[in-house]
């Protein structure tokens, strides 16, 4: 279902006095990506602990650290399917990241979620040496701050 909910791919608009739903981002690339990959769920070991993820609210923020249009939105949809709540999307202050960086900001025990993110992005989630700008920009209840690098464009 495509809708205009906060995480949806559409937004409401008035065109020639008619109420219409327009694609977010100004084009249909996100919708095309969703349709192209509708049956491709991220493959992480079978019996993934998604039940554990969905029982508590895991808050994440995603920043696009590249110039690849729609990268943050595509990744947010995939993570939402895995039970993450994406609180904010946007561009990183710098857009020259080759590799994705993920920072765990929460004191919660999120070992299953850390494992899931490490497998999905093939990186290590960092819990120390978090850049000051990440801490300053993050909401107080944020669990993960994700900066997507160019490598995230190839992740299935």
């Amino acid at each position: 279902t495509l809708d205009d909910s906060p995480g949806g791919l559409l937004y409401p608009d008035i065109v020639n006095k008619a109420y219409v739903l327009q694609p977010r981002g100004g084009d249909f690339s996100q919708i095309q990506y969703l349709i192209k990959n509708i049956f491709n769920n991220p493959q992480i070991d079978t019996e993934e602990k998604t039940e554990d993820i969905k029982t508590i609210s895991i808050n994440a923020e995603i920043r696009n650290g590249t110039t690849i249009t729609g990268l943050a939105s595509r990744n947010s949809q995939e993570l939402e399917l895995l039970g993450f709540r994406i609180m904010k999307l946007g561009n990183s202050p710098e857009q020259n990241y080759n590799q994705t960086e993920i920072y765990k900001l929460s004191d919660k025990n999120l070992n299953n979620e850390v494992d899931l993110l490490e497998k999905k992005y093939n990186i290590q989630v960092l819990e120390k040496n978090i850049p000051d700008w990440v801490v300053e920009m993050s909401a107080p209840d944020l669990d993960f701050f994700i900066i997507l690098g160019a490598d995230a464009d190839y992740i299935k």
Side-chain angles (χ1 to χ4, degrees), residues 46-137:
T46 57
E47 292 197 354
E48 185 66 278
K49 297 175 176 94
T50 54
E51 292 175 1
D52 294 339
I53 293 172
K54 293 180 181 179
T55 58
I56 58 175
S57 179
I58 307 301
N59 299 322
E61 181 171 332
I62 300 177
R63 296 296 181 118
N64 187 350
T66 73
T67 56
I68 302 167
T69 304
L71 185 62
S73 179
R74 289 194 310 262
N75 277 264
S76 73
Q77 292 167 12
E78 293 171 8
L79 289 176
E80 284 174 341
L81 289 172
L82 295 172
F84 287 78
R85 185 172 134 209
I86 306 304
M87 299 188 63
K88 187 173 182 182
L89 288 175
N91 289 325
S92 173
E94 293 185 19
Q95 295 185 302
N96 57 355
Y97 286 80
N98 289 319
Q99 186 171 2
T100 299
E101 295 180 7
I102 301 177
Y103 300 98
K104 181 181 178 279
L105 304 176
S106 170
D107 290 334
K108 296 178 194 172
N109 180 358
L110 301 173
N111 293 334
N112 294 336
E113 293 78 8
V114 167
D115 289 345
L116 186 147
L117 290 169
E118 288 180 343
K119 288 176 185 174
K120 177 173 176 47
Y121 291 99
N122 196 28
I123 57 141
Q124 181 177 0
V125 173
L126 303 171
E127 298 186 42
K128 297 179 181 175
N129 300 324
I130 299 170
D132 291 337
W133 71 269
V134 170
V135 175
E136 292 169 6
M137 294 179 79

